[in-house]
Amino acid sequence: MRYHLRVLRFAASYPPPSALAATTYSSPMPSLSVFGAQWGDEGKGKIIDLLSDRVDIVVRYQGGANAGHTVVVDGEKWVLHLIPSGILHEGKVNMIAAGVAIDPVALLGELDGLKERGVHVGPDRLRVAANAHVIFEQHKRIDALSERWKGAGRIGTTGRGIGPAYGDKAARTGLRMADLLDPDHCADRLRANLAEKNAVIARIHEEPPLPVDELVDRYSALGKRLAPYVADTGAELRAAERAGKRILFEGAQGIMLDIDHGTYPFVTSSNTGPGGIPSGAGVPPQMIGRSIGIAKAYCTRVGEGPFPSEIHGDEAERLRAAGHEYGTTTGRPRRAGHFDAVQVRYGLEISGATGWIMTKLDVLAGLGDLNVVVGYRLGDQRFDAYPAHLADINGLEMETETIPGWTEDISGIRDFDQLPETARAYVDRVEELVGVPIVMVSVGAERDAIIKRGEIFEPGWGAETVGATG
Ligand code: GDP
Ligand code: IMO
Ligand code: MG
């Protein structure tokens, strides 16, 4: 038995071959990429929700339920893991594209949670890629066991099965959403995958193997429930672009967790920046117009791995408490550090960002003078650009510049000129050190806690509302 994929039509057919031969590709409606420019948890959920107002489609293109994106609307808190942060805006289409690793249990849990709170999440609003890889029980199990095996060298993963699932994708032993919809096919491929995984679980980790028949039945049933949402999202996105729809790509994690350009091996298993969009969503690279990074006014990291601007002791505790820096997905305390201008510049440069959004500026009130990292030292070497070529950046010492702090609560301010002079000076100096314009400053978790400074949206998108200059 096969479930038929429903097609969401955005009209417009592909141009004839003659037209293609005669022109280079130029996007009729360039899309917007918004991504994390640090180690994740920059406030992407809040910003994507805010910008969703202006878009037709919001797309997740990488990562999985390791993400925890918080949106606060009218005092109500929502945490999204797999479903894009555009879901709270009625009438917007949200897509989970091919590059995402989808845990069907997590996805259905999230869907049910939203429905219980009155959010309509039908197949007209949520589209799931048929060619996205599936995270199964064995991936989560091996994620945990492999961390235990590594001991002190562990990554500190979220335990959501991300690494093992992307590993299967690269090893070509994984299953995709389309496989899940065909019970016979699913049973064969899942049994083959489990045979190998159970051998690893039992022989290497010396733990009981997983129950194969039970898992085959459980996942086939989950596939049946998800079937109405599954689609060729790449085709839908390309048609949407041709039909002039405005598309927003929502990054998960952050550029320093990028598998190629982050602090490997202490990274996640996908390309987190705009570089991940074309392959992750199945769209031409030229379709991406602007890329906008998001970075906190300070810095945090969850899990293990190098963090050059990290602070410790009471200073870190004060920042953690002020910013409520505890993991959205795992509840772990986040490590805290100074804003690192060298690192953010690197993240924005790789991504071709034309602007960035500074979040959580309000958190810095009352924390005394502020330090910003402006360079690194390693022995007698000095770096003023991020040294991505080094095998190990653990030994980097930070060079900082001290900027006076402020004590006033700025969370109610909506106009840059109304900020205390010291807060304005901090934003201006950080912007200068990074070298890329700050287009918005976020001063609270709520949707409206935002100060606009520059242009965010593509010119063709119009400038009449939230992203308008001023
Ligand atoms: P994400 O993973 O990038 O979406 O970020 P998280 O949701 O994991 O963590 C960001 C946290 O900061 C959430 O609790 C947000 O509600 C909150 N937040 C976002 N922007 C601001 C801000 O400007 N000020 C304050 N105080 N909190 C914010
Ligand atoms: P959002 O989208 C912060 C971190 C984990 C760990 C490493 C690898 O909310 O910003 P994984 O489970 O992906 O194999 O873990 O990556 N990590 C995140 N840190 N925010 C996230 O997502 C993260 N997703 C993964 O803590 O260090
Ligand atoms: Mg998060």
Side-chain angles (χ1 to χ4, degrees), residues 58-175:
V58 184
V59 187
R60 275 281 308 272
Y61 54 93
Q62 49 70 230
N66 49 351
H69 296 179
T70 315
V71 178
V72 180
V73 187
D74 298 332
E76 259 196 87
K77 181 171 155 179
W78 307 77
V79 178
L80 299 154
H81 297 286
L82 273 164
I83 297 178
S85 307
I87 200 72
L88 300 177
H89 287 262
E90 245 174 76
K92 311 292 177 180
V93 174
N94 289 264
M95 285 189 184
I96 303 177
V100 178
I102 301 174
D103 175 349
V105 181
L107 180 53
L108 282 163
E110 212 169 316
L111 268 170
D112 291 344
L114 284 167
K115 284 179 187 164
E116 270 167 30
R117 292 175 70 179
V119 180
H120 165 70
V121 210
D124 55 329
R125 293 206 58 214
L126 181 70
R127 316 294 290 158
V128 176
N131 52 346
H133 276 257
V134 179
I135 297 187
F136 291 97
E137 196 58 38
Q138 62 268 33
H139 296 121
K140 292 183 266 190
R141 191 89 183 95
I142 288 183
D143 194 353
L145 292 173
S146 142
E147 286 280 274
R148 187 176 81 182
W149 179 273
K150 290 186 183 107
R154 72 185 178 279
I155 294 165
T157 71
T158 59
R160 298 297 188 269
I162 300 294
Y166 278 114
D168 273 3
K169 171 176 171 173
R172 291 146 297 173
T173 52
L175 277 80

Side-chain angles (χ1 to χ4, degrees), residues 41 68-69 328 334:
D41 303 326
H69 296 179
T328 313
R334 294 172 179 157

